[in-house]
């Protein structure tokens, strides 16, 4: 793996690989020199760049009734309405990433002015909640503590709450939960609750054709839900950070996302049946993956996580590539082939 210094991370004022390693995870926010706010994607960075997309930019309030994110009278407009390939990529700065044979959104490390630490931010909110939304963060965590036990060091915040630009009445509560084993405990608890799940079906169905029985599987995985009237909660599960990313486990070994290991060769269209043997918890944390006898199935879209967690046969139309380590990887939901078909066998 490339040495940490080769990434250029030491150039920022927040030097120290230890700080970076624990702080920059999937969902971390960073501000650039123009005070725009970018969201980090949980894959290793390119040399001198973070893989991140601009999510908020400074703007002017159009009228007094408009709902807008703000901090100390500085107003922000949200640029990404849903997490689709279109929203994340259109209008963003893209660079070529040879690992994936594609272009990705990126932010030069030298342009980073501030890193918003998801885990420290949550500790601040719990210690001194300042409004009704932050009060609800504390109440929700209390419910978690009473039902399954709380691992406070594994919980963080993302979204507008992390940046401190949230609207107390209208913003969601966006959590990060780090660590595979504890994440599974949280996930199973959420599935057992009666919280109504929220799925942006219009967004999902425009990108995927999914058989109705598998749509029910998607509905079952409760990671964004109505916790109580007027308050939406989302939970993103992660395992690892940008310098120590997760691995997709299979019978033939572990597919690593490390910078110099995860390199895809020629990408071709794929159509066929896949018998998912086990997800080994890999389908829950970002990016979701599972394995069959011949393939590792990988998606950079959390929407497909519940499907990849189910053992059994599925029929897919996606893409196929081989890594430098010899893993055959089926890719679902890429921007080059966004209309993926997933059916029961």
């Amino acid at each position: 793996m490339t040495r940490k210094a080769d990434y250029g991370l030491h150039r920022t004022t927040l030097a120290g690989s230890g700080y970076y390693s624990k702080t920059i995870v999937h969902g971390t926010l960073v501000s650039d020199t123009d005070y725009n706010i970018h969201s980090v994607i949980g894959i290793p960075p390119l040399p001198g760049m973070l893989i991140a997309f601009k999510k908020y930019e400074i703007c002017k309030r159009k009228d007094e009734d408009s709902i807008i994110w703000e901090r100390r009278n500085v107003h922000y407009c949200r640029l990404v309405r849903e997490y689709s390939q279109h929203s994340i990529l259109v209008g963003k700065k893209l660079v070529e990433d040879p690992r994936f044979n594609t272009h990705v959104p990126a932010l030069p490390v030298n342009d980073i002015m501030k890193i918003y630490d998801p885990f420290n931010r949550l500790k601040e909110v719990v210690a001194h909640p300042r409004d009704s939304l932050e009060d609800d963060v504390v109440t929700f965590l209390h419910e978690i503590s009473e039902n399954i036990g709380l691992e406070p060091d594994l919980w963080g915040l993302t979204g507008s709450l992390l940046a401190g630009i949230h609207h107390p009445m209208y913003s969601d509560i966006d959590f990060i939960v780090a660590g595979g084993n504890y994440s599974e405990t949280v996930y199973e608890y959420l599935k057992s609750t009666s919280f109504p799940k929220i799925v942006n079906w219009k967004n999902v169905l425009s990108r995927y054709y999914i058989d109705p029985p598998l749509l029910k599987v998607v509905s079952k995985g409760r990671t964004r839900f109505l916790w109580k009237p007027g308050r939406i909660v989302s939970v993103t599960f992660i395992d690892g950070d940008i310098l120590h990313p997760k691995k997709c486990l299979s019978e033939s070994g572990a597919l690593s996302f490390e910078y110099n290991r995860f390199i895809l060769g020629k990408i071709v269209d794929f159509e066929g049946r896949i018998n998912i043997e086990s997800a080994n918890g890999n389908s829950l944390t970002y990016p979701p993956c599972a394995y069959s006898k011949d393939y590792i199935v990988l998606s950079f879209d959390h929407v497909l996580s519940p499907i990849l967690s189910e053992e059994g046969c599925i029929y897919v139309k996606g893409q196929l590539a081989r890594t430098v380590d010899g893993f055959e990887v089926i890719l679902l939901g890429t921007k080059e082939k966004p209309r993926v078909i997933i059916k029961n066998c």
Side-chain angles (χ1 to χ4, degrees), residues 255-271:
L255 172 64
S256 173
F257 290 103
E258 292 180 355
Y259 177 73
N260 282 338
R261 303 308 306 172
F262 189 80
I263 303 174
L264 299 178
K266 183 179 179 181
I267 300 176
V268 298
D269 288 344
F270 174 88
E271 179 178 353

Side-chain angles (χ1 to χ4, degrees), residues 50-338:
L50 291 181
I51 309 301
F53 60 91
K54 187 162 69 171
K55 187 173 182 179
Y56 303 97
E57 68 178 3
I58 293 178
C59 61
K60 293 183 178 180
R61 182 187 288 275
K62 295 182 179 179
D63 57 71
E64 289 301 318
D65 295 326
S66 61
I67 301 170
I68 201 166
W69 295 265
E70 63 179 279
R71 179 178 60 228
R72 292 190 290 275
N73 295 320
V74 176
H75 305 303
Y76 289 84
C77 290
R78 180 172 173 171
L79 304 178
V80 177
R81 291 293 176 182
E82 71 278 331
Y83 295 105
S84 66
Q85 298 92 338
H86 178 80
S87 291
I88 289 175
L89 297 174
V90 170
K92 312 300 189 298
K93 180 179 179 180
L94 303 179
V95 300
E96 186 175 1
D97 190 335
R99 299 171 296 179
F100 305 103
N101 293 315
T102 190
H103 286 78
V104 298
L107 176 67
V109 170
N110 285 341
D111 289 347
I112 296 174
M113 292 292 292
K114 180 177 181 178
I115 299 171
Y116 298 90
D117 184 330
F119 307 102
N120 280 345
R121 170 65 174 141
L122 181 59
K123 289 180 173 62
E124 293 172 358
V125 169
V126 170
H128 301 289
R130 298 175 298 173
D131 54 46
S132 59
L133 187 68
E134 295 188 358
D135 284 336
D136 280 346
V137 169
V138 177
T139 302
F140 182 83
L141 291 178
H142 181 69
E143 289 186 15
I144 292 292
S145 179
E146 286 188 329
N147 285 280
I148 58 172
L150 184 66
E151 297 285 348
D153 291 339
L154 301 182
W155 286 80
L157 288 171
T158 184
S160 59
L161 260 169
L162 172 56
I165 61 174
H166 58 280
H167 192 293
M169 290 181 61
Y170 301 105
S171 292
D172 298 348
I173 300 174
D174 300 306
F175 287 110
I176 291 172
V177 176
N181 292 335
Y182 182 66
S183 292
E184 290 185 47
T185 301
V186 175
Y187 183 62
E188 291 302 319
Y189 164 71
L190 294 178
K191 287 202 301 181
S192 70
T193 66
S194 58
F195 304 139
K197 174 165 182 176
I198 297 174
V199 181
N200 185 350
W201 288 113
K202 181 179 179 181
N203 178 33
V204 173
L205 297 179
S206 67
R207 294 182 286 145
Y208 302 105
Y209 174 82
I210 302 176
D211 263 356
L214 293 175
L215 286 178
K216 292 183 179 179
V217 174
V218 173
S219 296
K220 185 175 64 175
R222 191 172 285 106
T223 55
R224 188 167 187 261
F225 49 89
L226 184 65
W227 171 49
K228 65 179 187 178
R231 194 65 84 205
I232 295 172
V233 173
S234 71
V235 181
T236 299
F237 299 102
I238 62 173
D239 189 6
D241 54 69
I242 60 168
L243 296 183
H244 306 90
K246 70 174 282 187
K247 293 179 171 62
C248 286
L249 305 179
S250 72
E251 290 180 342
S252 58
L255 172 64
S256 173
F257 290 103
E258 292 180 355
Y259 177 73
N260 282 338
R261 303 308 306 172
F262 189 80
I263 303 174
L264 299 178
K266 183 179 179 181
I267 300 176
V268 298
D269 288 344
F270 174 88
E271 179 178 353
R273 290 177 172 83
I274 307 168
N275 190 53
I276 295 179
E277 298 179 7
S278 176
N280 280 347
N282 285 284
S283 67
L284 183 59
T285 56
Y286 187 86
C289 56
Y291 75 83
S292 67
K293 180 180 179 181
D294 300 312
Y295 306 105
I296 286 179
V297 188
L298 172 65
S299 172
F300 289 97
D301 189 342
H302 265 310
V303 166
L304 301 182
S305 179
I307 293 176
L308 297 184
S309 69
E310 297 283 324
E311 295 183 10
C313 184
I314 57 174
Y315 172 89
V316 304
K317 283 187 177 182
Q319 293 186 300
L320 174 67
R322 179 190 291 266
T323 72
V324 291
D325 286 337
F327 289 98
E328 299 279 355
V329 181
I330 294 175
L331 302 166
L332 302 179
T334 63
K335 68 182 178 65
E336 286 79 10
K337 196 176 185 67

